[in-house]
Amino acid sequence: MLDFELPEDLRVLQKTVREFAAAEVAPFCHAWNEEERFPHELIPKLGALGLLGMAIPERYGGAEMSLQAIALVVEELAAVDGSVAITVASHNGLASGHILLAGTEEQKMKYLPDLASGKKLGAWGLTEPGSGSDAAGARTRATRLDDGSWSLSGTKTFITQGSVGGTYVVLAVSTPEKKQHGITAFIVERGTPGFRAGKVLEKMGLHASDTAELILDDVRLADSQRLGQVDHGFIDTLKILDKGRVTIAAMALGLGYGAHEAARRYARERRQFGKSLAEFQAIQNMLADNATELDAARLLIRRAAWMYDQGQRITLAASMAKLYAAQAAMRACNRAVQIHGGYGYTREYPVERHMRDAKLCEIGEGTNEVQRMVICRQLLSRGELHVPHVLA
Amino acid sequence: MKILVTAKRIPDPGQKIKLKGNALDLSAANWQLNQFDEYAVEAALRLTEDGAAPATRQGAVTVASLGPADVQQQLRSALAMGADKAIRVEAKDEELDAVIVAKTLEKLVRRDQPDLVLMGKLAADNEGNDVGQRLAALLGWPQATFACSIQVVDGGKALLVGREVDNGVEIKKVRLPAVVTVDLRIIAPQAVKNGRTAANFAYPEGPRYASLKGIRAAKDKPIEALTLSGLGVSTALQVKTHGSELPPARQAGKKIASVHELVEKLRSEAKVL
């Protein structure tokens, strides 16, 4: 039987995170964003709740939750603040996800407990100034030295937690002639000689999330810092991105939903021409479209997460969910600002912040255009869709 | 210490009340744990742990509720906060009154023999405020209601319970076993002193969040299902609800242009001068 109800534990989780976000994030996030400040004081609280080790197994100090659960958490946080949502999504998914996927037992024991507790924040260095989705264009070089150790040199950019991270995973070209099949991953600790954060980037939105450049200048690493097999970094990266796209889709959904809820409340309270905004058909149309499109996005996300939790390949389903959710969120935020009228354009109401934050979801972890490329590649290269037939 | 905490689910007090005929329409209610019961769960956890190392339990907390199958979610939330086990007695809300609830709890207490029954001072839906008192009477146990602080004394044989009264805080000493109902200040950072947690330890204000690990652990904690008839409780209602109605809608106020007009209206319309 097809069941659309959230199971009991996920409903308890949803309630917990909703209450946490209302008490610990909502009263402060406007100020964090206005001050463009990373909320360091929130990190221990996120850690205590278990939100920083969601995918990590219990034996390494995590909560070992399903992707469905992680998506739900990110959605609830994003409904209140996009910056906190992307901090949690990236910390849980990227560096710690990579260590979890490709790390040796020693590496997992050494790095995962501090990531799960929030003692250290994770950052993942893939993107470079000259290479985004086109990973084959990466220039950061990993040169193997005679003693088997490595030297890394290059520059990374758009790195979430770039200046506040404690544990970094950096991708570097180990065998240039093999292009994307010549990339290797390394764990780099904060404070390693030659490794530092560069410029902290000023962004359109997500002002309370840290995004920075990373600079690697002859960073010497023992071979024990290599993560996964030599030249295997990009293959692992694709798996991490599939999963990450589901959480970015959930972030988009939360942002859109947060803006939509604000607009729904505002439409009922605000009176013009002797009646509430909600009594005008033009406003009703916008609210109805928002609710419908966001619900469709939610179903795509739930399905992609469900497939992942079933052990299925989600390349297609994850890209579909992210593409649709990001666009639905932008439309929902745009309508929410429109419903708020002049107030919606001011920074006194949260909808404009949600709109700016949501734009990231059309760009980060693969732009809308890249998602379409991924989707179409799947459509054209296979006889059969990698979508469960019951839902397709 | 073995503690039984009672938990009632109530409709979200922030939701607008709906009527169907002359009865409350709760079909679209968002159900949640009565906040005072949530405070009782928090107080029970603080009594049975070392605040600095809460993972090691130093006692047992059982949470009990009467209600339909859905109540399981509120019980699971309490288990996720850290309670050790739960009991659900199958019942429909409209088939219960304070007497039946108190008598059901009496049966559970006689069976499980806790050292302490902790309850919210009242449920925020009908604000009955009588189940705790009735239970203490049925058991012949001492009671302390509206607790704002609890301190374990006499080597765990008694409690000093603070109660906010009109002219200050009254401190009452109750022997265990006892029934204690809690008020909202029981969740203040240092309101509960169990003798093990360091005296200067301060909790964050409020009931704790269910952590993700707590939620995972709660999946495997037992929820015992019982019935009123199985416990031998008479189901004859002694309180019957004959109907509910909304208070009359408030009329819009009048705008008055001058003090003179105000005095005139107070005299002629409001007739208070």
Side-chain angles (χ1 to χ4, degrees):
Chain A
M1 189 192 70
L2 196 52
D3 186 356
F4 288 96
E5 289 257 335
L6 282 181
E8 192 178 77
D9 58 331
L10 292 191
R11 277 182 284 159
V12 174
L13 176 70
Q14 188 177 42
K15 170 178 168 286
T16 286
V17 178
R18 193 170 288 175
E19 288 172 0
F20 176 85
E24 310 286 351
V25 178
F28 316 110
C29 63
H30 179 72
W32 295 335
N33 278 278
E34 286 295 303
E35 295 161 14
E36 301 208 23
R37 185 172 75 75
F38 184 83
H40 287 281
E41 66 271 32
L42 184 69
I43 301 304
K45 294 178 187 174
L46 291 168
L49 201 59
L51 298 186
L52 297 179
M54 289 192 282
I56 294 173
E58 284 186 20
R59 66 180 180 283
Y60 308 119
E64 206 169 352
M65 287 267 170
S66 62
L67 183 54
Q68 198 72 263
I70 296 171
L72 198 64
V73 168
V74 172
E75 179 193 335
E76 287 296 330
L77 293 174
V80 176
D81 183 48
S83 297
V84 173
I86 198 169
T87 302
V88 168
S90 60
H91 172 87
N92 276 282
L94 302 179
S96 71
H98 203 144
I99 294 172
L100 202 54
L101 180 73
T104 62
E105 186 59 26
E106 286 77 17
Q107 287 170 334
K108 290 179 186 173
M109 287 304 292
K110 186 171 175 192
Y111 293 108
L112 292 179
D114 283 353
L115 288 165
S117 69
K119 198 171 154 196
K120 295 206 172 122
L121 288 170
W124 196 55
L126 170 67
T127 305
E128 300 188 4
S131 118
S133 296
D134 177 18
R139 304 269 297 272
T140 297
R141 276 301 310 268
T143 312
R144 192 134 205 191
L145 306 176
D146 291 341
D147 62 356
S149 67
W150 297 83
S151 165
L152 270 60
S153 288
T155 306
K156 297 284 176 182
T157 195
F158 305 147
I159 307 307
T160 309
Q161 277 90 253
S163 85
V164 298
T167 303
Y168 296 75
V169 171
V170 173
L171 283 296
V173 178
S174 39
T175 315
E177 59 275 19
K178 287 166 74 179
K179 297 197 171 160
Q180 65 263 46
H181 297 289
I183 292 172
T184 303
F186 297 87
I187 303 173
V188 186
E189 293 177 24
R190 185 187 190 86
T192 305
F195 177 65
R196 64 185 173 87
K199 198 166 69 178
V200 174
L201 299 160
E202 294 178 337
K203 308 184 292 293
M204 172 193 279
L206 299 171
H207 287 170
S209 153
D210 179 77
T211 312
E213 293 176 342
L214 296 180
I215 294 161
L216 300 102
D217 180 13
D218 188 20
V219 177
R220 298 297 177 98
L221 296 174
D223 193 47
S224 59
Q225 295 305 105
R226 173 169 51 82
L227 182 58
Q229 295 169 35
V230 175
D231 292 348
H232 216 265
F234 191 68
I235 311 300
D236 294 334
T237 293
L238 291 178
K239 289 182 196 153
I240 292 158
L241 284 177
D242 280 350
K243 195 179 174 191
R245 283 170 181 158
V246 178
T247 61
I248 297 299
M251 175 182 158
L253 171 62
L255 285 165
Y257 190 72
H260 167 62
E261 273 299 298
R264 193 177 66 89
R265 279 195 303 275
Y266 185 80
R268 283 159 69 148
E269 285 162 13
R270 170 81 168 169
R271 297 186 72 79
Q272 291 281 278
F273 304 105
K275 50 185 180 176
S276 73
L277 291 189
E279 290 173 76
F280 290 90
Q281 203 169 35
I283 304 292
Q284 291 172 359
N285 285 345
M286 289 197 259
L287 291 174
D289 285 348
N290 272 1
T292 307
E293 292 175 17
L294 291 170
D295 221 30
R298 180 174 285 117
L299 291 175
L300 283 171
I301 293 165
R302 295 251 164 101
R303 182 187 63 181
W306 176 83
M307 287 171 68
Y308 181 89
D309 292 335
Q310 299 291 316
Q312 300 183 30
R313 232 189 111 187
I314 60 164
T315 306
L316 177 60
S319 281
M320 283 179 164
K322 181 179 175 296
L323 172 64
Y324 188 79
Q327 295 184 105
M330 272 316 283
R331 289 193 294 265
C333 289
N334 192 22
R335 292 185 192 115
V337 169
Q338 195 67 23
I339 289 169
H340 278 73
Y343 291 108
Y345 196 67
T346 70
R347 296 217 295 263
E348 286 175 29
Y349 283 76
V351 286
E352 65 81 36
R353 170 162 56 84
H354 282 233
M355 186 173 174
R356 288 184 286 107
D357 289 357
K359 185 64 197 171
L360 178 277
C361 302
E362 292 199 307
I363 296 171
E365 301 214 13
T367 59
N368 287 355
E369 293 67 36
V370 164
Q371 304 309 325
R372 290 190 180 95
M373 254 168 60
V374 172
I375 291 166
C376 223
R377 196 178 292 153
Q378 298 283 323
L379 293 182
L380 299 176
S381 69
R382 288 164 206 285
E384 195 181 332
L385 290 189
H386 267 257
V387 183
H389 63 277
V390 283
L391 293 166
Chain B
M1 188 182 288
K2 231 171 104 177
I3 303 177
L4 179 72
V5 181
T6 62
K8 181 183 180 184
R9 68 161 200 175
I10 62 169
D12 179 354
Q15 254 183 318
K16 228 177 171 173
I17 287 180
K18 275 193 195 152
L19 289 183
K20 198 174 179 181
N22 69 345
L24 284 175
D25 176 12
L26 296 171
S27 57
N30 283 331
W31 294 96
Q32 61 182 49
L33 191 56
N34 172 40
Q35 71 202 65
F36 294 107
D37 294 343
E38 203 172 5
Y39 302 160
V41 172
E42 175 64 29
L45 293 172
R46 291 185 189 183
L47 282 168
T48 52
E49 70 189 11
D50 180 340
T56 330
R57 306 282 299 128
Q58 315 251 7
V61 175
T62 300
V63 183
S65 188
L66 287 80
D70 291 357
V71 173
Q72 188 156 314
Q73 193 190 329
Q74 279 75 41
L75 290 173
R76 202 66 78 182
S77 291
L79 293 172
M81 285 171 73
D84 301 281
K85 61 172 272 209
I87 298 170
R88 183 177 72 84
V89 181
E90 171 67 31
K92 292 200 180 98
D93 292 314
E94 59 274 20
E95 294 170 358
L96 296 174
D97 62 22
V99 178
I100 295 175
V101 174
K103 287 189 169 168
T104 307
L105 295 173
E106 182 202 359
K107 298 281 186 190
L108 292 180
V109 170
R110 292 202 189 281
R111 188 193 74 166
D112 293 351
Q113 305 196 329
D115 305 301
L116 172 65
V117 180
L118 264 186
M119 312 174 66
K121 67 168 181 179
L122 53 77
D125 52 356
N126 60 13
E127 306 210 326
N129 178 25
D130 57 347
V131 174
Q133 294 87 333
R134 285 177 185 278
L135 175 62
L138 289 168
L139 292 166
W141 285 11
Q143 60 173 292
T145 52
F146 303 92
C148 65
S149 67
I150 298 175
Q151 186 181 354
V152 179
V153 291
D154 294 354
K157 291 201 170 63
L159 302 177
L160 286 183
V161 178
R163 311 173 68 236
E164 286 184 342
V165 291
D166 285 348
N167 51 358
V169 177
E170 174 186 285
I171 307 284
K172 209 170 168 181
K173 185 169 180 179
V174 288
R175 271 180 295 106
L176 292 176
V179 175
V180 175
T181 75
V182 301
D183 208 338
L184 63 109
R185 255 174 279 278
I186 200 68
I187 46 146
Q190 298 188 304
V192 176
K193 307 250 182 226
N194 66 10
R196 262 186 316 271
T197 301
N200 62 355
F201 184 86
Y203 279 94
E205 173 119 12
R208 66 197 60 190
Y209 298 109
S211 74
L212 269 66
K213 278 183 207 177
I215 292 170
R216 265 187 72 82
K219 278 168 108 170
D220 301 325
K221 290 179 181 174
I223 298 182
E224 186 183 6
L226 301 173
T227 59
L228 291 171
S229 57
L231 288 165
V233 180
S234 158
T235 53
L237 282 171
Q238 298 194 24
V239 178
K240 288 197 173 114
T241 305
H242 289 280
S244 301
E245 58 188 48
L246 296 173
R250 253 183 85 193
Q251 300 293 315
K254 283 180 187 162
K255 282 191 181 158
I256 283 166
S258 67
V259 174
H260 181 77
E261 194 187 342
L262 172 66
V263 173
E264 180 54 38
K265 292 220 184 273
L266 287 173
R267 185 174 290 146
S268 64
E269 287 183 25
K271 296 192 179 11
V272 292
L273 291 181

